[in-house]
Coordinates of all heavy atoms in Angstrom, one line a residue:
E1 N 7.7 -19.0 -9.6 CA 6.4 -19.2 -8.9 C 6.4 -18.5 -7.6 O 7.4 -18.7 -6.8 CB 6.0 -20.6 -8.8 CG 4.7 -20.9 -8.1 CD 4.3 -22.3 -8.0 OE1 5.1 -23.2 -8.5 OE2 3.3 -22.6 -7.3
V2 N 5.4 -17.7 -7.3 CA 5.3 -17.1 -5.9 C 4.9 -18.1 -4.9 O 3.9 -18.7 -5.0 CB 4.3 -15.9 -6.0 CG1 4.2 -15.3 -4.6 CG2 4.7 -14.8 -7.0
V3 N 5.8 -18.3 -3.9 CA 5.5 -19.3 -2.8 C 5.1 -18.6 -1.5 O 4.6 -19.3 -0.6 CB 6.7 -20.2 -2.6 CG1 7.0 -21.0 -3.9 CG2 7.9 -19.4 -2.2
W4 N 5.3 -17.3 -1.4 CA 4.9 -16.6 -0.2 C 4.9 -15.1 -0.5 O 5.7 -14.6 -1.3 CB 5.9 -16.9 0.9 CG 5.6 -16.2 2.2 CD1 4.7 -16.7 3.2 CD2 6.1 -15.0 2.8 NE1 4.7 -15.8 4.3 CE2 5.5 -14.8 4.1 CE3 7.0 -14.1 2.3 CZ2 5.9 -13.7 4.9 CZ3 7.4 -13.0 3.1 CH2 6.8 -12.8 4.4
Q5 N 3.9 -14.3 0.1 CA 3.9 -12.9 -0.2 C 3.2 -12.2 0.9 O 2.4 -12.7 1.7 CB 3.2 -12.6 -1.5 CG 1.7 -13.0 -1.6 CD 1.1 -12.7 -2.9 OE1 1.3 -11.6 -3.4 NE2 0.4 -13.7 -3.5
L6 N 3.5 -10.9 1.0 CA 2.9 -9.9 1.9 C 2.5 -8.8 1.0 O 3.2 -8.3 0.2 CB 3.9 -9.5 3.0 CG 4.3 -10.4 4.1 CD1 5.4 -9.8 4.9 CD2 3.1 -10.8 5.0
K7 N 1.3 -8.3 1.3 CA 0.8 -7.1 0.6 C 0.4 -6.0 1.6 O 0.4 -6.2 2.8 CB -0.5 -7.5 -0.2 CG -0.2 -8.5 -1.4 CD -1.5 -8.7 -2.2 CE -1.2 -9.7 -3.4 NZ -2.4 -9.9 -4.2
E8 N 0.2 -4.8 1.1 CA -0.2 -3.7 1.9 C 0.8 -3.3 2.9 O 0.5 -3.0 4.1 CB -1.6 -3.9 2.5 CG -2.7 -4.1 1.5 CD -4.0 -4.4 2.1 OE1 -4.1 -4.4 3.3 OE2 -5.0 -4.6 1.3
Q9 N 2.1 -3.4 2.5 CA 3.2 -3.0 3.4 C 3.7 -1.6 3.0 O 4.6 -1.5 2.1 CB 4.3 -4.0 3.4 CG 3.9 -5.5 3.7 CD 3.3 -5.6 5.1 OE1 3.8 -5.0 6.1 NE2 2.2 -6.2 5.2
S10 N 3.2 -0.6 3.6 CA 3.3 0.8 3.1 C 4.8 1.2 3.1 O 5.4 1.3 4.1 CB 2.5 1.7 4.0 OG 2.7 3.1 3.5
G11 N 5.3 1.4 1.8 CA 6.6 2.0 1.6 C 7.7 0.9 1.9 O 8.8 1.3 2.4
V12 N 7.5 -0.3 1.6 CA 8.5 -1.4 1.9 C 9.7 -1.2 1.0 O 9.6 -1.1 -0.2 CB 7.9 -2.8 1.8 CG1 7.4 -3.1 0.4 CG2 8.9 -3.8 2.3
I13 N 10.8 -1.1 1.6 CA 12.1 -0.8 0.9 C 13.2 -1.8 1.2 O 14.2 -1.9 0.5 CB 12.5 0.6 1.2 CG1 13.5 1.2 0.1 CG2 13.2 0.7 2.6 CD1 13.8 2.7 0.2
D14 N 13.0 -2.6 2.2 CA 13.9 -3.7 2.5 C 13.2 -4.8 3.2 O 12.3 -4.6 4.0 CB 15.0 -3.1 3.5 CG 16.1 -4.1 3.9 OD1 16.7 -4.7 3.0 OD2 16.3 -4.3 5.1
A15 N 13.6 -6.1 2.9 CA 13.0 -7.2 3.5 C 14.1 -8.3 3.8 O 14.8 -8.6 2.8 CB 12.0 -7.8 2.6
D16 N 14.3 -8.7 5.0 CA 15.3 -9.7 5.4 C 14.6 -10.9 6.0 O 13.8 -10.7 7.0 CB 16.3 -9.1 6.3 CG 17.1 -8.0 5.7 OD1 17.2 -7.9 4.5 OD2 17.6 -7.1 6.5
R17 N 14.9 -12.1 5.6 CA 14.4 -13.3 6.2 C 15.3 -13.6 7.4 O 16.5 -13.7 7.3 CB 14.4 -14.4 5.2 CG 13.8 -15.8 5.8 CD 12.4 -15.7 6.3 NE 11.5 -15.1 5.4 CZ 11.0 -15.6 4.3 NH1 11.3 -16.9 3.9 NH2 10.1 -15.0 3.5
L18 N 14.7 -13.7 8.6 CA 15.5 -14.0 9.8 C 15.6 -15.5 10.0 O 14.8 -16.3 9.5 CB 14.8 -13.4 11.0 CG 14.6 -11.8 10.9 CD1 13.9 -11.3 12.2 CD2 15.9 -11.1 10.7
P19 N 16.6 -16.0 10.8 CA 16.8 -17.4 11.0 C 15.6 -18.0 11.7 O 15.3 -19.2 11.5 CB 18.0 -17.5 12.0 CG 18.8 -16.3 11.6 CD 17.8 -15.2 11.3
N20 N 14.7 -17.3 12.4 CA 13.6 -17.9 13.0 C 12.4 -18.0 12.1 O 11.3 -18.4 12.5 CB 13.1 -17.0 14.3 CG 12.7 -15.6 13.9 OD1 12.6 -15.2 12.8 ND2 12.5 -14.8 14.9
G21 N 12.6 -17.6 10.8 CA 11.6 -17.8 9.8 C 10.7 -16.5 9.6 O 10.0 -16.4 8.7
N22 N 10.9 -15.6 10.5 CA 10.1 -14.3 10.4 C 10.8 -13.4 9.4 O 12.0 -13.7 8.9 CB 10.0 -13.6 11.7 CG 9.2 -14.3 12.7 OD1 8.4 -15.2 12.4 ND2 9.3 -13.9 14.0
T23 N 10.2 -12.3 9.0 CA 10.8 -11.4 8.0 C 10.8 -10.0 8.6 O 9.8 -9.5 9.1 CB 9.9 -11.4 6.7 OG1 9.8 -12.8 6.2 CG2 10.5 -10.5 5.6
L24 N 12.0 -9.4 8.5 CA 12.1 -8.0 9.0 C 12.0 -7.0 7.8 O 12.7 -7.1 6.8 CB 13.5 -7.9 9.6 CG 13.8 -6.6 10.3 CD1 13.0 -6.5 11.6 CD2 15.3 -6.4 10.6
L25 N 11.0 -6.1 8.0 CA 10.7 -5.2 6.9 C 11.0 -3.7 7.3 O 10.8 -3.3 8.5 CB 9.2 -5.2 6.6 CG 8.5 -6.5 6.2 CD1 7.1 -6.3 5.8 CD2 9.3 -7.1 5.0
T26 N 11.6 -3.0 6.4 CA 11.8 -1.6 6.5 C 10.8 -0.8 5.7 O 10.7 -1.0 4.5 CB 13.2 -1.2 6.1 OG1 14.2 -2.0 6.8 CG2 13.5 0.3 6.3
L27 N 9.9 -0.1 6.4 CA 8.8 0.6 5.7 C 9.0 2.1 5.8 O 8.8 2.8 6.8 CB 7.5 0.3 6.5 CG 7.2 -1.2 6.6 CD1 6.1 -1.5 7.5 CD2 7.0 -1.9 5.3
Q28 N 9.5 2.6 4.6 CA 9.9 4.0 4.5 C 8.8 5.0 4.8 O 8.9 5.9 5.6 CB 10.6 4.3 3.2 CG 11.3 5.6 3.1 CD 11.9 5.8 1.7 OE1 11.2 6.1 0.8 NE2 13.2 5.7 1.6
Q29 N 7.7 4.8 4.1 CA 6.5 5.7 4.2 C 5.9 5.7 5.6 O 5.5 6.7 6.1 CB 5.5 5.4 3.1 CG 5.9 5.7 1.7 CD 4.8 5.3 0.7 OE1 3.8 4.8 1.0 NE2 5.1 5.6 -0.6
S30 N 5.9 4.5 6.2 CA 5.3 4.4 7.5 C 6.3 4.8 8.6 O 5.9 4.9 9.8 CB 4.9 2.9 7.8 OG 4.0 2.5 6.8
G31 N 7.5 5.0 8.3 CA 8.5 5.4 9.3 C 8.7 4.3 10.3 O 8.8 4.5 11.5
A32 N 8.7 3.0 9.9 CA 8.7 1.9 10.8 C 9.6 0.7 10.3 O 9.9 0.6 9.1 CB 7.3 1.3 11.0
V33 N 10.0 -0.1 11.3 CA 10.7 -1.3 11.0 C 9.9 -2.4 11.7 O 9.6 -2.2 12.9 CB 12.1 -1.4 11.5 CG1 12.7 -2.8 11.4 CG2 13.0 -0.4 10.7
R34 N 9.4 -3.4 11.0 CA 8.5 -4.4 11.6 C 9.0 -5.8 11.3 O 9.5 -6.1 10.2 CB 7.1 -4.2 11.1 CG 6.5 -3.0 11.5 CD 5.0 -2.8 11.0 NE 4.5 -1.5 11.5 CZ 3.7 -0.7 10.7 NH1 3.4 -1.2 9.5 NH2 3.3 0.4 11.2
E35 N 8.9 -6.7 12.3 CA 9.1 -8.1 12.2 C 7.8 -8.8 12.1 O 7.0 -8.7 13.0 CB 10.0 -8.6 13.3 CG 10.3 -10.1 13.2 CD 11.0 -10.7 14.4 OE1 11.6 -9.8 15.2 OE2 11.1 -11.9 14.6
L36 N 7.6 -9.6 11.0 CA 6.3 -10.3 10.8 C 6.6 -11.8 10.7 O 7.6 -12.2 10.2 CB 5.7 -9.8 9.5 CG 5.0 -8.4 9.5 CD1 6.0 -7.3 9.4 CD2 4.0 -8.3 8.3
N37 N 5.6 -12.5 11.2 CA 5.8 -14.0 11.1 C 5.2 -14.4 9.8 O 4.8 -13.6 8.9 CB 5.1 -14.7 12.3 CG 3.6 -14.4 12.3 OD1 2.9 -14.0 11.3 ND2 3.0 -14.6 13.5
K38 N 5.2 -15.8 9.5 CA 4.8 -16.3 8.2 C 3.4 -16.0 7.9 O 3.0 -16.0 6.8 CB 5.1 -17.8 8.2 CG 6.6 -18.1 8.1 CD 6.8 -19.6 8.0 CE 8.3 -19.9 8.0 NZ 8.6 -21.4 7.8
K39 N 2.6 -15.8 9.0 CA 1.1 -15.4 8.7 C 0.9 -14.0 8.4 O -0.2 -13.5 8.2 CB 0.3 -15.8 10.0 CG 0.3 -17.3 10.3 CD -0.5 -17.6 11.5 CE -0.5 -19.1 11.9 NZ -1.3 -19.3 13.1
G40 N 2.0 -13.2 8.5 CA 1.9 -11.7 8.3 C 1.6 -10.9 9.5 O 1.2 -9.8 9.4
E41 N 1.6 -11.6 10.7 CA 1.3 -10.9 11.9 C 2.6 -10.2 12.5 O 3.7 -10.7 12.4 CB 0.9 -11.9 13.0 CG -0.4 -12.6 12.6 CD -0.7 -13.9 13.4 OE1 0.3 -14.4 14.0 OE2 -1.8 -14.3 13.5
V42 N 2.4 -8.9 12.9 CA 3.5 -8.2 13.5 C 3.9 -8.7 14.9 O 3.0 -8.7 15.8 CB 3.2 -6.7 13.6 CG1 4.3 -5.9 14.2 CG2 2.8 -6.1 12.2
V43 N 5.1 -9.1 15.1 CA 5.5 -9.6 16.4 C 6.5 -8.7 17.1 O 6.8 -8.8 18.2 CB 6.2 -11.0 16.2 CG1 5.2 -12.0 15.7 CG2 7.4 -11.0 15.3
W44 N 7.0 -7.7 16.3 CA 7.9 -6.7 16.9 C 8.0 -5.5 15.9 O 7.9 -5.7 14.7 CB 9.3 -7.3 17.0 CG 10.4 -6.4 17.7 CD1 10.7 -6.3 19.0 CD2 11.3 -5.5 17.0 NE1 11.7 -5.5 19.2 CE2 12.1 -4.9 18.0 CE3 11.5 -5.2 15.7 CZ2 13.1 -4.0 17.7 CZ3 12.5 -4.2 15.4 CH2 13.3 -3.7 16.4
E45 N 8.2 -4.3 16.5 CA 8.2 -3.1 15.6 C 8.9 -1.9 16.3 O 8.9 -1.8 17.5 CB 6.9 -2.7 15.1 CG 5.9 -2.3 16.1 CD 4.5 -2.0 15.6 OE1 4.4 -1.5 14.4 OE2 3.5 -2.2 16.2

């Protein structure tokens, strides 16, 4: 069962859950690395 998800993450190729509960994404097509909180808000990039 899906308990959490993020959509529209352009070129997502890696996702790591951080100890603070945020998720670190590697976005190949966007040329970016972004940290998102549980609401999907970008808090660092």
Side-chain angles (χ1 to χ4, degrees):
E1 181 180 353
V2 176
V3 298
W4 183 81
Q5 64 180 314
L6 290 171
K7 295 182 178 180
E8 299 179 359
Q9 303 300 314
S10 181
V12 64
I13 199 168
D14 181 53
D16 296 337
R17 180 64 46 78
L18 304 178
N20 64 7
N22 293 345
T23 304
L24 189 70
L25 302 183
T26 303
L27 305 172
Q28 192 181 73
Q29 290 178 358
S30 301
V33 172
R34 292 181 183 141
E35 179 182 344
L36 286 75
N37 62 23
K38 290 183 178 180
K39 296 179 181 180
E41 300 165 335
V42 177
V43 298
W44 183 90
E45 64 182 325

